[in-house]
Structure formats: C-alpha cells, structure tokens
Amino acid sequence: MRVLQFVVRTYHGPAVRVLEKLWTEHSPNMVVSLVPHFNRALRESFEKAFPGRPFVTVLTDLADYPKHFWVERESQYVVCGTDKAVEQARALGHLDGTVFRTSGMILHPRFYEPNSLDRTAERKKLGLDPDLPTGIVLFGGYGTSKMLDILRQLNRSSLQVQLILICGRNEKLAAVLRREPTRILIQVEGFTTQIPYFMALSDFFIGKPGPGSISEALSKHLPVIIDCNAWTLPQERYNAQWVREKEVGIVVHSHRQVASAVAELLKPGELAQFRARTAAMENRAVFEIPAIFEKILNGSPEKVLAESGIKTFKSQI
C-alpha cells in the first residue's frame, strides 16, 4: 500500500496532465470517482480543465483508511456510507453541504428484488435439509483454498449445519470441494449471478471482510463471520471493527476459528438476535446516490436534504 501510494505521488504531475487532456476531449459536466488513491489527481485535473464543475468522490469502503486512500483535502463533494467516513471527511476540512451520508454501501439492484421464494422447496431442490441452519461461504470471484479448510472444520465438528459454497470462476476448487467426503450436506456452485438467491436460502455468511460482501450479506439479514489479522488488507480492517460495533457478526483472528464462531452463532437465541440486528439495517444507497448527483449537477446540493431525505453531516449531529 505504501509503495503504491508513493508511486501515485511520484507520478502525480504526469497523471494530472493526462487526465486534463482526457476531460478536455470529453467535456463532462461532472466527474464521479468510485476508485481510491487517485482522487487528488482526478479532482485537480478536472478543476484545471473545467473550473467550477463538480467532482464527487463516492466511498465504496466503510471508512477512509489508510490516509489518502479515498478522501483528499482537494475533494469537492464526498459521499459516505458510515458515520466514521463522514467524521474523517470533516476532519480534513470538508464543510457542511459537501459531505453526504447515505444509508450504506452501493449494492446491485438485484439485492432489492422482492423475495417470494419458498425456502423449504428451494433448499430441497439443492439437496439440502430444509430445517438445518445454512451458511453461505463466499470469498470473492475466485474463491480461496480457505473454503476447503472451513468445510473440513465444520465436517469434523458436531454442529448440525449445512453449507452453500460459492467458488466463482475457480473451477478447480469447485471440483475439489465436490469430491470431498462430508458428513454435512453441501451445495457447491461455480460462477453465478444469483448470489441474492443463495443468500436468501442461507442463515449466516462466512467470508472475507470486504465492504461489498458484508453489505450484501446484511441486506439479506445474514450475520457475518469474517477474519481480521495482520494479512487483512489495510482498507478492510475497519470493516471488522464496524461489524463488532454494530453487533452484526463475529470476527475471528483466523479462518481456522470459523467452527467455534459458528458454534457461538448457533447458541440458543443467538442467531435470532443477530438476524434481528441485521434486519434493522436498511441500506438504500444505490437509490439515494443518483438523487445526490442530480442535485449537485444542478448546482443545488442543499436541496438534497429537503427533497430526497439524504443527510449531510450537519443534519446528523
């Protein structure tokens, strides 16, 4: 991370010149950034090309960590999905009316589609027990060998659970998991766009501490089991702290502790309480952010408060 940020700073001048040329060629009315590291260069180059036109940074992480990852002093408008990110933007000097607090992270609209499926029938179709607690194991688009370790842990335990394992494009991993002799029932999936469907059939989530995975799971009222240690990406470490603070999951030091975390989650009454806390969260960010863009583009960002319900930092306190 530090090496990357050093390289970004070293080539800041050339990057600004390249980007300024890009903006001049395309003449955008507004630039929206959903990427970290480069927002100083993006903002500075756009200001050089078209002074006064709005530049918006939308954080797709729960917090701005480490420094200069998302929010820069040069940022013009900042859209944050947590109170922590709002506080960080304010600490850099961003004023009321330029920092907007949404209700969470951006999710694909399919996560908001009405859920009318019959969980009993759908679990049976997958060869699963309709009545057993079901965990979905998901580690990004290419899976990870950790998934085999997690399966073996739970298989060795006495826990009465079953798993849906999503391997993404890692066909080798999927084949290994399908061949693994198990006591517990499993359903192994390769690449799929039906994550909301599989989450709807599940009771809890096991995966990495990424903001997208956590937010997707919570949108389906699934408490999360994630790990956080020295190998965790710096920008994802706050996510584990946030999960603890909100009491929407269990954070382990290593994936080798997943079985004990599942056992804790399945203690009498615990799963219901965790799911109740996740259900209390209502993330509508993907629908809120376009309203923010519209008002900023029209030169009236303060109207967002009155007309769309979006909150700036001032309204929060």
PDB file of all heavy atoms in Angstrom, residues 5 9 17 32 54 63 70 86 88 90 103 106 149-150 159 171-172 212 228 253 263-264 282 305 308 314:
ATOM      1  N   GLN A   5       1.129   4.086  -2.927  1.00  0.00           N
ATOM      2  CA  GLN A   5       0.849   5.499  -2.697  1.00  0.00           C
ATOM      3  C   GLN A   5       2.057   6.370  -3.018  1.00  0.00           C
ATOM      4  O   GLN A   5       1.903   7.491  -3.511  1.00  0.00           O
ATOM      5  CB  GLN A   5       0.392   5.705  -1.250  1.00  0.00           C
ATOM      6  CG  GLN A   5      -0.992   5.117  -0.981  1.00  0.00           C
ATOM      7  CD  GLN A   5      -1.537   5.482   0.377  1.00  0.00           C
ATOM      8  OE1 GLN A   5      -0.768   5.716   1.317  1.00  0.00           O
ATOM      9  NE2 GLN A   5      -2.837   5.536   0.508  1.00  0.00           N
ATOM     10  N   ARG A   9       2.037   9.389  -5.785  1.00  0.00           N
ATOM     11  CA  ARG A   9       2.521  10.748  -5.524  1.00  0.00           C
ATOM     12  C   ARG A   9       3.644  11.136  -6.480  1.00  0.00           C
ATOM     13  O   ARG A   9       3.711  12.279  -6.954  1.00  0.00           O
ATOM     14  CB  ARG A   9       3.002  10.856  -4.076  1.00  0.00           C
ATOM     15  CG  ARG A   9       1.907  10.817  -3.040  1.00  0.00           C
ATOM     16  CD  ARG A   9       2.415  11.276  -1.674  1.00  0.00           C
ATOM     17  NE  ARG A   9       3.480  10.416  -1.171  1.00  0.00           N
ATOM     18  CZ  ARG A   9       3.278   9.339  -0.428  1.00  0.00           C
ATOM     19  NH1 ARG A   9       2.044   8.977  -0.117  1.00  0.00           N
ATOM     20  NH2 ARG A   9       4.303   8.619   0.012  1.00  0.00           N
ATOM     21  N   ARG A  17      -1.724  15.843 -16.011  1.00  0.00           N
ATOM     22  CA  ARG A  17      -1.690  16.294 -17.403  1.00  0.00           C
ATOM     23  C   ARG A  17      -2.473  15.350 -18.318  1.00  0.00           C
ATOM     24  O   ARG A  17      -3.219  15.794 -19.202  1.00  0.00           O
ATOM     25  CB  ARG A  17      -0.232  16.427 -17.871  1.00  0.00           C
ATOM     26  CG  ARG A  17       0.495  17.597 -17.223  1.00  0.00           C
ATOM     27  CD  ARG A  17       1.833  17.865 -17.888  1.00  0.00           C
ATOM     28  NE  ARG A  17       2.814  16.808 -17.597  1.00  0.00           N
ATOM     29  CZ  ARG A  17       3.601  16.799 -16.540  1.00  0.00           C
ATOM     30  NH1 ARG A  17       3.519  17.771 -15.634  1.00  0.00           N
ATOM     31  NH2 ARG A  17       4.479  15.826 -16.355  1.00  0.00           N
ATOM     32  N   VAL A  32     -17.444  11.685 -11.373  1.00  0.00           N
ATOM     33  CA  VAL A  32     -17.702  10.911 -10.161  1.00  0.00           C
ATOM     34  C   VAL A  32     -16.639   9.823 -10.059  1.00  0.00           C
ATOM     35  O   VAL A  32     -16.468   9.028 -10.982  1.00  0.00           O
ATOM     36  CB  VAL A  32     -19.105  10.270 -10.187  1.00  0.00           C
ATOM     37  CG1 VAL A  32     -19.320   9.413  -8.941  1.00  0.00           C
ATOM     38  CG2 VAL A  32     -20.180  11.339 -10.305  1.00  0.00           C
ATOM     39  N   PRO A  54     -18.473  20.231 -10.891  1.00  0.00           N
ATOM     40  CA  PRO A  54     -18.401  19.400  -9.679  1.00  0.00           C
ATOM     41  C   PRO A  54     -17.651  18.089  -9.857  1.00  0.00           C
ATOM     42  O   PRO A  54     -17.762  17.409 -10.876  1.00  0.00           O
ATOM     43  CB  PRO A  54     -19.881  19.139  -9.355  1.00  0.00           C
ATOM     44  CG  PRO A  54     -20.594  19.277 -10.662  1.00  0.00           C
ATOM     45  CD  PRO A  54     -19.847  20.324 -11.438  1.00  0.00           C
ATOM     46  N   ALA A  63     -14.837   3.030   5.534  1.00  0.00           N
ATOM     47  CA  ALA A  63     -14.071   4.145   6.089  1.00  0.00           C
ATOM     48  C   ALA A  63     -12.916   4.482   5.163  1.00  0.00           C
ATOM     49  O   ALA A  63     -12.543   3.699   4.286  1.00  0.00           O
ATOM     50  CB  ALA A  63     -13.557   3.801   7.489  1.00  0.00           C
ATOM     51  N   TRP A  70      -9.048   7.454   0.099  1.00  0.00           N
ATOM     52  CA  TRP A  70     -10.246   7.938  -0.599  1.00  0.00           C
ATOM     53  C   TRP A  70     -10.340   9.461  -0.604  1.00  0.00           C
ATOM     54  O   TRP A  70     -10.423  10.078  -1.657  1.00  0.00           O
ATOM     55  CB  TRP A  70     -11.514   7.368   0.048  1.00  0.00           C
ATOM     56  CG  TRP A  70     -11.856   5.970  -0.336  1.00  0.00           C
ATOM     57  CD1 TRP A  70     -11.664   4.832   0.409  1.00  0.00           C
ATOM     58  CD2 TRP A  70     -12.439   5.540  -1.563  1.00  0.00           C
ATOM     59  NE1 TRP A  70     -12.100   3.731  -0.281  1.00  0.00           N
ATOM     60  CE2 TRP A  70     -12.587   4.133  -1.490  1.00  0.00           C
ATOM     61  CE3 TRP A  70     -12.859   6.189  -2.709  1.00  0.00           C
ATOM     62  CZ2 TRP A  70     -13.133   3.379  -2.525  1.00  0.00           C
ATOM     63  CZ3 TRP A  70     -13.411   5.449  -3.749  1.00  0.00           C
ATOM     64  CH2 TRP A  70     -13.528   4.068  -3.646  1.00  0.00           C
ATOM     65  N   VAL A  86     -17.819   9.902   7.391  1.00  0.00           N
ATOM     66  CA  VAL A  86     -18.226  11.303   7.483  1.00  0.00           C
ATOM     67  C   VAL A  86     -17.279  12.063   8.409  1.00  0.00           C
ATOM     68  O   VAL A  86     -16.818  13.157   8.086  1.00  0.00           O
ATOM     69  CB  VAL A  86     -19.679  11.417   7.980  1.00  0.00           C
ATOM     70  CG1 VAL A  86     -20.024  12.869   8.317  1.00  0.00           C
ATOM     71  CG2 VAL A  86     -20.651  10.898   6.930  1.00  0.00           C
ATOM     72  N   GLN A  88     -14.233  11.377   9.134  1.00  0.00           N
ATOM     73  CA  GLN A  88     -12.914  11.505   8.509  1.00  0.00           C
ATOM     74  C   GLN A  88     -12.909  12.624   7.470  1.00  0.00           C
ATOM     75  O   GLN A  88     -11.942  13.386   7.363  1.00  0.00           O
ATOM     76  CB  GLN A  88     -12.524  10.174   7.868  1.00  0.00           C
ATOM     77  CG  GLN A  88     -12.228   9.084   8.883  1.00  0.00           C
ATOM     78  CD  GLN A  88     -12.014   7.730   8.234  1.00  0.00           C
ATOM     79  OE1 GLN A  88     -12.739   7.344   7.318  1.00  0.00           O
ATOM     80  NE2 GLN A  88     -11.013   7.003   8.703  1.00  0.00           N
ATOM     81  N   ARG A  90     -14.870  15.243   7.472  1.00  0.00           N
ATOM     82  CA  ARG A  90     -14.952  16.501   8.214  1.00  0.00           C
ATOM     83  C   ARG A  90     -13.587  16.874   8.814  1.00  0.00           C
ATOM     84  O   ARG A  90     -13.221  18.050   8.854  1.00  0.00           O
ATOM     85  CB  ARG A  90     -15.988  16.372   9.335  1.00  0.00           C
ATOM     86  CG  ARG A  90     -17.425  16.272   8.845  1.00  0.00           C
ATOM     87  CD  ARG A  90     -17.907  17.582   8.302  1.00  0.00           C
ATOM     88  NE  ARG A  90     -17.952  18.594   9.338  1.00  0.00           N
ATOM     89  CZ  ARG A  90     -18.152  19.886   9.118  1.00  0.00           C
ATOM     90  NH1 ARG A  90     -18.299  20.320   7.876  1.00  0.00           N
ATOM     91  NH2 ARG A  90     -18.188  20.741  10.114  1.00  0.00           N
ATOM     92  N   SER A 103     -27.246   5.581   3.431  1.00  0.00           N
ATOM     93  CA  SER A 103     -27.616   4.567   4.416  1.00  0.00           C
ATOM     94  C   SER A 103     -26.756   3.313   4.328  1.00  0.00           C
ATOM     95  O   SER A 103     -27.035   2.326   5.015  1.00  0.00           O
ATOM     96  CB  SER A 103     -29.095   4.190   4.247  1.00  0.00           C
ATOM     97  OG  SER A 103     -29.351   3.775   2.918  1.00  0.00           O
ATOM     98  N   ILE A 106     -23.018   0.817  -1.824  1.00  0.00           N
ATOM     99  CA  ILE A 106     -23.738   0.544  -3.061  1.00  0.00           C
ATOM    100  C   ILE A 106     -23.847  -0.962  -3.271  1.00  0.00           C
ATOM    101  O   ILE A 106     -22.858  -1.685  -3.207  1.00  0.00           O
ATOM    102  CB  ILE A 106     -23.012   1.173  -4.262  1.00  0.00           C
ATOM    103  CG1 ILE A 106     -22.945   2.692  -4.114  1.00  0.00           C
ATOM    104  CG2 ILE A 106     -23.711   0.794  -5.571  1.00  0.00           C
ATOM    105  CD1 ILE A 106     -22.096   3.368  -5.165  1.00  0.00           C
ATOM    106  N   ASP A 149     -10.670 -25.741   3.968  1.00  0.00           N
ATOM    107  CA  ASP A 149     -10.356 -25.840   5.395  1.00  0.00           C
ATOM    108  C   ASP A 149     -11.607 -25.610   6.237  1.00  0.00           C
ATOM    109  O   ASP A 149     -11.835 -26.306   7.237  1.00  0.00           O
ATOM    110  CB  ASP A 149      -9.280 -24.823   5.772  1.00  0.00           C
ATOM    111  CG  ASP A 149      -7.935 -25.129   5.146  1.00  0.00           C
ATOM    112  OD1 ASP A 149      -7.712 -26.301   4.796  1.00  0.00           O
ATOM    113  OD2 ASP A 149      -7.117 -24.203   4.999  1.00  0.00           O
ATOM    114  N   ILE A 150     -12.403 -24.621   5.841  1.00  0.00           N
ATOM    115  CA  ILE A 150     -13.632 -24.312   6.586  1.00  0.00           C
ATOM    116  C   ILE A 150     -14.603 -25.482   6.510  1.00  0.00           C
ATOM    117  O   ILE A 150     -15.209 -25.881   7.524  1.00  0.00           O
ATOM    118  CB  ILE A 150     -14.275 -23.020   6.032  1.00  0.00           C
ATOM    119  CG1 ILE A 150     -13.405 -21.812   6.408  1.00  0.00           C
ATOM    120  CG2 ILE A 150     -15.701 -22.841   6.556  1.00  0.00           C
ATOM    121  CD1 ILE A 150     -13.784 -20.535   5.683  1.00  0.00           C
ATOM    122  N   LEU A 159     -21.470 -29.949  14.932  1.00  0.00           N
ATOM    123  CA  LEU A 159     -22.510 -28.984  14.591  1.00  0.00           C
ATOM    124  C   LEU A 159     -23.452 -29.524  13.513  1.00  0.00           C
ATOM    125  O   LEU A 159     -22.997 -30.126  12.530  1.00  0.00           O
ATOM    126  CB  LEU A 159     -21.876 -27.681  14.105  1.00  0.00           C
ATOM    127  CG  LEU A 159     -21.065 -26.895  15.139  1.00  0.00           C
ATOM    128  CD1 LEU A 159     -20.278 -25.788  14.468  1.00  0.00           C
ATOM    129  CD2 LEU A 159     -21.997 -26.326  16.215  1.00  0.00           C
ATOM    130  N   GLU A 171     -12.794 -23.166 -10.956  1.00  0.00           N
ATOM    131  CA  GLU A 171     -13.378 -24.477 -11.241  1.00  0.00           C
ATOM    132  C   GLU A 171     -12.608 -25.600 -10.550  1.00  0.00           C
ATOM    133  O   GLU A 171     -13.199 -26.617 -10.142  1.00  0.00           O
ATOM    134  CB  GLU A 171     -13.415 -24.708 -12.750  1.00  0.00           C
ATOM    135  CG  GLU A 171     -14.314 -23.716 -13.485  1.00  0.00           C
ATOM    136  CD  GLU A 171     -14.304 -23.923 -14.992  1.00  0.00           C
ATOM    137  OE1 GLU A 171     -13.633 -24.881 -15.447  1.00  0.00           O
ATOM    138  OE2 GLU A 171     -14.961 -23.140 -15.704  1.00  0.00           O
ATOM    139  N   LYS A 172     -11.309 -25.426 -10.394  1.00  0.00           N
ATOM    140  CA  LYS A 172     -10.501 -26.436  -9.717  1.00  0.00           C
ATOM    141  C   LYS A 172     -10.939 -26.582  -8.270  1.00  0.00           C
ATOM    142  O   LYS A 172     -11.102 -27.700  -7.753  1.00  0.00           O
ATOM    143  CB  LYS A 172      -9.026 -26.067  -9.802  1.00  0.00           C
ATOM    144  CG  LYS A 172      -8.102 -27.089  -9.156  1.00  0.00           C
ATOM    145  CD  LYS A 172      -6.643 -26.673  -9.303  1.00  0.00           C
ATOM    146  CE  LYS A 172      -5.709 -27.684  -8.640  1.00  0.00           C
ATOM    147  NZ  LYS A 172      -4.285 -27.266  -8.781  1.00  0.00           N
ATOM    148  N   GLY A 212     -18.204  -4.935   0.238  1.00  0.00           N
ATOM    149  CA  GLY A 212     -19.264  -5.426  -0.625  1.00  0.00           C
ATOM    150  C   GLY A 212     -19.901  -6.689  -0.097  1.00  0.00           C
ATOM    151  O   GLY A 212     -21.133  -6.799   0.008  1.00  0.00           O
ATOM    152  N   CYS A 228      -9.922 -11.147  10.683  1.00  0.00           N
ATOM    153  CA  CYS A 228      -9.128  -9.916  10.631  1.00  0.00           C
ATOM    154  C   CYS A 228      -7.824 -10.178  11.350  1.00  0.00           C
ATOM    155  O   CYS A 228      -7.810 -10.573  12.528  1.00  0.00           O
ATOM    156  CB  CYS A 228      -9.884  -8.761  11.287  1.00  0.00           C
ATOM    157  SG  CYS A 228      -9.009  -7.177  11.172  1.00  0.00           S
ATOM    158  N   HIS A 253      -9.769 -14.252  14.499  1.00  0.00           N
ATOM    159  CA  HIS A 253      -8.400 -13.905  14.118  1.00  0.00           C
ATOM    160  C   HIS A 253      -7.951 -14.694  12.896  1.00  0.00           C
ATOM    161  O   HIS A 253      -7.167 -14.202  12.081  1.00  0.00           O
ATOM    162  CB  HIS A 253      -7.441 -14.170  15.283  1.00  0.00           C
ATOM    163  CG  HIS A 253      -6.015 -13.827  14.969  1.00  0.00           C
ATOM    164  ND1 HIS A 253      -5.575 -12.527  14.837  1.00  0.00           N
ATOM    165  CD2 HIS A 253      -4.933 -14.628  14.738  1.00  0.00           C
ATOM    166  CE1 HIS A 253      -4.276 -12.531  14.542  1.00  0.00           C
ATOM    167  NE2 HIS A 253      -3.864 -13.783  14.478  1.00  0.00           N
ATOM    168  N   ALA A 263     -20.392 -22.195  16.106  1.00  0.00           N
ATOM    169  CA  ALA A 263     -20.969 -22.752  17.333  1.00  0.00           C
ATOM    170  C   ALA A 263     -21.515 -21.645  18.221  1.00  0.00           C
ATOM    171  O   ALA A 263     -22.604 -21.778  18.805  1.00  0.00           O
ATOM    172  CB  ALA A 263     -19.915 -23.565  18.081  1.00  0.00           C
ATOM    173  N   GLU A 264     -20.783 -20.536  18.321  1.00  0.00           N
ATOM    174  CA  GLU A 264     -21.248 -19.402  19.121  1.00  0.00           C
ATOM    175  C   GLU A 264     -22.513 -18.798  18.525  1.00  0.00           C
ATOM    176  O   GLU A 264     -23.460 -18.450  19.234  1.00  0.00           O
ATOM    177  CB  GLU A 264     -20.146 -18.348  19.204  1.00  0.00           C
ATOM    178  CG  GLU A 264     -20.508 -17.144  20.057  1.00  0.00           C
ATOM    179  CD  GLU A 264     -19.381 -16.129  20.148  1.00  0.00           C
ATOM    180  OE1 GLU A 264     -18.230 -16.492  19.816  1.00  0.00           O
ATOM    181  OE2 GLU A 264     -19.655 -14.978  20.537  1.00  0.00           O
ATOM    182  N   GLU A 282     -31.314  -0.763   6.981  1.00  0.00           N
ATOM    183  CA  GLU A 282     -31.972  -0.590   5.683  1.00  0.00           C
ATOM    184  C   GLU A 282     -31.063   0.220   4.776  1.00  0.00           C
ATOM    185  O   GLU A 282     -31.009   1.447   4.856  1.00  0.00           O
ATOM    186  CB  GLU A 282     -33.326   0.097   5.834  1.00  0.00           C
ATOM    187  CG  GLU A 282     -34.116   0.136   4.537  1.00  0.00           C
ATOM    188  CD  GLU A 282     -35.489   0.737   4.693  1.00  0.00           C
ATOM    189  OE1 GLU A 282     -35.828   1.156   5.811  1.00  0.00           O
ATOM    190  OE2 GLU A 282     -36.225   0.805   3.696  1.00  0.00           O
ATOM    191  N   LEU A 305     -31.302  17.622   0.953  1.00  0.00           N
ATOM    192  CA  LEU A 305     -31.836  17.395   2.293  1.00  0.00           C
ATOM    193  C   LEU A 305     -33.352  17.420   2.296  1.00  0.00           C
ATOM    194  O   LEU A 305     -34.008  16.553   2.851  1.00  0.00           O
ATOM    195  CB  LEU A 305     -31.309  18.464   3.255  1.00  0.00           C
ATOM    196  CG  LEU A 305     -29.852  18.364   3.669  1.00  0.00           C
ATOM    197  CD1 LEU A 305     -29.457  19.611   4.436  1.00  0.00           C
ATOM    198  CD2 LEU A 305     -29.639  17.143   4.517  1.00  0.00           C
ATOM    199  N   SER A 308     -34.870  14.678  -0.980  1.00  0.00           N
ATOM    200  CA  SER A 308     -34.571  13.250  -1.111  1.00  0.00           C
ATOM    201  C   SER A 308     -34.307  12.548   0.211  1.00  0.00           C
ATOM    202  O   SER A 308     -34.168  11.342   0.243  1.00  0.00           O
ATOM    203  CB  SER A 308     -33.357  13.052  -2.027  1.00  0.00           C
ATOM    204  OG  SER A 308     -32.193  13.509  -1.372  1.00  0.00           O
ATOM    205  N   LYS A 314     -23.988  17.874   8.919  1.00  0.00           N
ATOM    206  CA  LYS A 314     -24.608  18.825   9.848  1.00  0.00           C
ATOM    207  C   LYS A 314     -25.953  18.304  10.341  1.00  0.00           C
ATOM    208  O   LYS A 314     -26.281  18.431  11.525  1.00  0.00           O
ATOM    209  CB  LYS A 314     -24.775  20.180   9.166  1.00  0.00           C
ATOM    210  CG  LYS A 314     -25.313  21.260  10.091  1.00  0.00           C
ATOM    211  CD  LYS A 314     -25.367  22.597   9.362  1.00  0.00           C
ATOM    212  CE  LYS A 314     -25.865  23.695  10.291  1.00  0.00           C
ATOM    213  NZ  LYS A 314     -25.916  25.013   9.615  1.00  0.00           N
TER     214      LYS A 314
END
